[in-house]
Amino acid sequence: MAEHRSMQRGALLDAARTLLSEGGTEALTFPALAERTGLARSSVYEYFKSRAAVVEELCAVDFPVWAAEIEAAMEAAPTPAAKIEAYVRSQLELVGDRRHRAVVAISAGELDAGAREKIRAAHGGLVAMIGEALEALGQPEPRLAALLLQGVVDAAARRIELGAAEDPAVITDTAVAMALRGIGG
């Protein structure tokens, strides 16, 4: 019985990822979850009390996995500059991944405090790692620079998601060049 419940919970989370990646936070509704999973709407409420609860669980499940992939890429990089490049590249490589799209949709949406806290916790380690790399490169405001760098990554991710005219590899290379050398490329 517990295994069956866990499978249904997994199916609901997977349906939530798809809905978020296709239509953003507005698309994540209980009727849509019921339709995607073949469960009755009342059954969806047995697993999750609210949309916020679905989002919070996705944050708890997906953010640490996503952050761990980026951290692993950064840890494998031998120099501070290579760590920054790995930070940018690994996030942009994840853009095609439904989990990443769901994470982006969640980040862009209105979140309750619990979900925001889970995201902050997962992001905290990444921001600390990127801050250390920026500091090692002589950046006097590593925390601020880390936040601004994330803005470049987010803008590049949006261009890739939109299917912009530029090739995703060109977008990624340009984002890396901006991260490492500013607008001079």
Side-chain angles (χ1 to χ4, degrees), residues 12 20 40 60 66 72-73 113 134 140 147 159 161 179:
L12 283 165
L20 282 164
W66 180 79
L134 288 162
L147 294 168
R159 280 204 77 71
E161 278 166 357

Side-chain angles (χ1 to χ4, degrees), residues 11 23 34 60 62-63 77 88 92 103 107 110 116 125 131 133 136 144 147 162 168 183:
D62 288 357
F63 259 97
V88 174
L92 295 178
V103 159
S107 301
E110 285 306 304
R116 262 201 310 274
L144 174 60
L147 294 168
L162 290 170
I183 58 168

Side-chain angles (χ1 to χ4, degrees), residues 93-165:
E93 278 163 17
L94 289 169
V95 169
D97 184 323
R98 249 172 2 130
R99 257 186 347 211
H100 179 271
R101 283 206 302 272
V103 159
V104 170
I106 289 167
S107 301
E110 285 306 304
L111 294 175
D112 70 333
R116 262 201 310 274
E117 202 38 61
K118 285 189 169 65
I119 290 173
R120 246 199 308 278
H123 258 280
L126 281 179
V127 172
M129 284 182 81
I130 201 67
E132 285 167 23
L134 288 162
E135 204 167 1
L137 289 173
Q139 171 52 249
E141 295 285 346
R143 183 148 178 80
L144 174 60
L147 294 168
L148 296 174
L149 172 59
Q150 187 58 48
V152 169
V153 174
D154 292 343
R158 272 194 303 278
R159 280 204 77 71
I160 292 170
E161 278 166 357
L162 290 170

Side-chain angles (χ1 to χ4, degrees), residues 16-99:
R17 281 183 198 100
T18 302
L19 290 166
L20 282 164
S21 66
E22 287 171 1
T25 44
E26 305 80 61
L28 181 60
T29 64
F30 278 37
L33 282 172
E35 191 182 318
R36 288 280 169 130
T37 54
L39 291 169
R41 201 183 310 182
S42 58
S43 299
V44 178
Y45 282 99
E46 285 175 34
Y47 292 92
F48 297 104
K49 296 286 174 255
S50 65
R51 236 169 59 134
V54 177
V55 167
E56 197 168 326
E57 179 125 350
L58 272 179
C59 291
V61 171
D62 288 357
F63 259 97
V65 173
W66 180 79
E69 287 175 31
I70 298 162
E71 279 185 26
M74 287 179 72
E75 281 167 7
T79 65
K83 285 183 190 312
I84 290 167
E85 178 165 353
Y87 176 81
V88 174
R89 283 193 188 282
S90 56
Q91 284 192 67
L92 295 178
E93 278 163 17
L94 289 169
V95 169
D97 184 323
R98 249 172 2 130
R99 257 186 347 211

